[in-house]
Amino acid sequence: HWLRAIENNGTILILDDGSSWQVDSFDTNISNFWSVSSDIYVVEDASGVMLINAGDGKAVHVQHIDYMK
């Protein structure tokens, strides 16, 4: 996937497939500095879902949401 949009100071991330993700509040200091069009991995494990930026290797914890701009 790649990052299509960053909304609300990094609290909402929208991927190329249109899926929207709410970033946990303690991780917005990371996602707010990501760049649109960055390659993103979606990873699910026992702790939940994370989006990982392929460029810098940093991860944020997220929840899938329905988001209308």
Side-chain angles (χ1 to χ4, degrees):
H1 292 285
W2 53 271
L3 190 55
R4 188 171 77 185
I6 302 168
E7 302 286 339
N8 300 334
N9 298 317
T11 60
I12 305 291
L13 302 176
I14 303 171
L15 299 183
D16 61 306
D17 64 358
S19 62
S20 300
W21 302 86
Q22 182 170 351
V23 178
D24 287 352
S25 60
F26 55 85
D27 284 338
T28 57
N29 61 327
I30 296 170
S31 59
N32 191 40
F33 293 100
W34 284 0
S35 299
V36 171
S37 76
S38 296
D39 288 325
I40 301 292
Y41 300 113
V42 180
V43 177
E44 186 172 1
D45 63 15
S47 68
V49 180
M50 294 184 296
L51 299 183
I52 302 172
N53 185 317
D56 64 14
K58 294 184 179 179
V60 295
H61 294 86
V62 295
Q63 293 183 0
H64 186 263
I65 60 168
D66 292 324
Y67 178 73
M68 298 283 190
K69 185 174 177 182

